[in-house]
């Protein structure tokens, strides 16, 4: 009997032996669970990525400028003639208080009526002895692209989209004719959207800025 019990015991141990490792094998499986966790994090990334790809929202168009009265126009005429005029001087000349003049000038700047304050330059005395108007024919619907590239040109002072035999009118000032030639041939004509150009040399120019002897201006 003892031998049979030992045999039965050893048989049970042999039967139990395969069953022993079975519970330990699944113990490795839960370790794979953390690997699935990162799948939840990418779900948060696309909204942020899409927001960055969208870029900044387009700025709303500026509100229309408020109507100008006679005092506003007098202030504009004074500042166009002398951009360095003080608030006190402007106020005295248009017969308002300094606070009123200050508020009006700020409003003209905020409304975009006054775009900036600068100096009228004699380009020849400033070392830019060659001036030219350059007309351009450009690819249809490429104005904004062309304008950005023309604005980056050295010596470009005025750009206009016009009607007629050409599309764009550009005024440039360069040190000499050689620099002007290089500007036209290597910079402007290299713009893919420019179909053709024509250069009109300026022999003499006169600045027709506001003058005190033209009181009706801006009226």
């Amino acid at each position: 009997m003892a031998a049979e019990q030992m045999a039965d015991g050893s048989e049970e141990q042999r039967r139990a032996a395969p069953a022993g490792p079975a519970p330990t094998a699944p113990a490795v499986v839960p370790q794979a669970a953390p690997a699935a966790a990162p799948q939840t994090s990418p779900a948060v990334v696309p909204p942020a990525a899409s927001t960055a790809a969208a870029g900044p929202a387009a700025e709303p168009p500026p509100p229309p400028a408020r109507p100008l009265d006679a005092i506003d126009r007098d202030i504009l005429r004074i500042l166009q003639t002398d951009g360095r005029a003080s608030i006190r001087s402007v106020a005295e000349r248009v017969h308002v208080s300094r606070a009123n003049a200050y508020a009006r000038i700020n409003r003209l700047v905020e409304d975009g009526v006054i775009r900036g304050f600068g100096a009228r330059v004699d380009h020849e005395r400033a070392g830019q002895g060659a001036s030219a108007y350059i007309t351009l024919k450009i690819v249809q619907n490429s104005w904004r692209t062309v304008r950005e590239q023309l604005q980056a040109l050295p010596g470009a002072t005025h750009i206009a989209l016009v009607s007629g035999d050409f599309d764009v009118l550009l005024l440039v000032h360069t040190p000499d004719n050689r620099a002007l030639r290089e500007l036209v041939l290597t910079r402007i004509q290299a713009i893919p959207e420019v179909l053709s150009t024509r250069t009109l040399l300026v022999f003499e120019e006169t600045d027709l800025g506001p003058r005190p002897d033209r009181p009706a201006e801006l009226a």
Side-chain angles (χ1 to χ4, degrees), residues 92-134:
E92 290 176 351
R93 294 169 64 179
V94 299
H95 308 292
V96 298
S97 68
R98 293 175 61 181
N100 191 338
Y102 182 82
R104 284 174 178 271
I105 293 174
N106 275 351
R107 176 169 58 82
L108 292 171
V109 172
E110 291 173 358
D111 287 354
V113 178
I114 295 177
R115 296 188 298 175
F117 299 88
R120 292 196 298 274
V121 177
D122 185 317
H123 295 285
E124 186 172 0
R125 286 181 174 272
Q128 296 177 311
S131 299
Y133 285 96
I134 303 173

Side-chain angles (χ1 to χ4, degrees), residues 180-201:
L180 175 62
R181 178 179 179 276
E182 291 297 319
L183 182 69
V184 175
L185 297 182
T186 65
R187 297 290 296 273
I188 297 177
Q189 292 186 1
I191 299 175
E193 294 81 6
V194 173
L195 301 177
S196 64
T197 66
R198 183 179 180 184
T199 303
L200 309 174
L201 291 177

Side-chain angles (χ1 to χ4, degrees), residues 61-93:
R66 287 160 281 192
L68 306 183
D69 59 18
I71 296 177
D72 292 328
R73 296 181 186 279
D74 285 342
I75 291 175
L76 288 177
R77 182 163 50 248
I78 292 170
L79 293 178
Q80 283 184 291
T81 305
D82 182 9
R84 300 176 65 183
S86 65
I87 298 293
R88 179 178 179 179
S89 172
V90 172
E92 290 176 351
R93 294 169 64 179

